[in-house]
Amino acid sequence: MSDTLTRLAQIIETRKLQNGGDPEKSYVSRLFAKGPDAILKKIGEEATETVMAAKDGEREQIVYETADLWFHSLIMLAQYDLTPDDVLRELARREGLSGLEEKAARKDVARDASEQKGA
């Protein structure tokens, strides 16, 4: 499955403007041309549609909207020069950790960073 994400990420990368993407011919290039705010707005829209599909309990619609959300998330990752592998590595790092422990560790890191700013 991650092969599909990798292939999509590679295609998206070719649509970036600095890689020759043409906003007149490509939806993805058009999003890149509009900038990060447009990409992030699109993710918000897709996330909302995914939630609504889940609330309705329509399995096919949940899959369809989740695919849209993942696709636009791949565009966001590319905007910030990240890849699906970066996310998969983070998920692998978290594997086996209690969700509560992981959340507490993030709070510790945030608290330490805040204390360093204040010092």
Side-chain angles (χ1 to χ4, degrees):
M1 287 298 201
S2 67
D3 290 345
T4 301
L5 293 176
T6 299
R7 283 193 307 276
L8 276 172
Q10 290 168 344
I11 292 167
I12 289 167
E13 192 64 35
T14 68
R15 302 301 196 267
K16 288 171 93 172
L17 302 179
Q18 65 267 32
N19 292 340
D22 183 353
E24 297 297 318
K25 296 180 181 176
S26 166
Y27 167 77
V28 173
S29 295
R30 193 172 309 141
L31 271 178
F32 281 126
K34 290 179 181 180
D37 285 349
I39 295 167
L40 298 174
K41 180 180 176 188
K42 192 64 184 170
I43 289 174
E45 291 171 10
E46 297 301 341
T48 299
E49 291 171 4
T50 302
V51 169
M52 297 308 293
K55 285 185 71 65
D56 291 343
E58 296 177 24
R59 293 172 55 86
E60 285 183 31
Q61 199 63 25
I62 293 168
V63 170
Y64 180 86
E65 295 300 345
T66 301
D68 281 353
L69 178 58
W70 285 15
F71 179 75
H72 288 88
S73 294
L74 289 171
I75 296 170
M76 178 198 60
L77 290 171
Q79 173 68 33
Y80 296 101
D81 297 321
L82 296 165
T83 68
D85 284 339
D86 294 312
V87 177
L88 293 172
R89 276 192 295 277
E90 176 60 15
L91 289 172
R93 184 192 69 78
R94 295 180 187 186
E95 189 175 2
L97 287 178
S98 155
L100 296 174
E101 290 172 1
E102 199 279 330
K103 187 174 181 178
R106 280 188 278 152
K107 285 182 181 179
D108 290 344
V109 169
R111 185 189 67 243
D112 290 348
S114 177
E115 288 173 357
Q116 286 180 348
K117 286 182 183 179

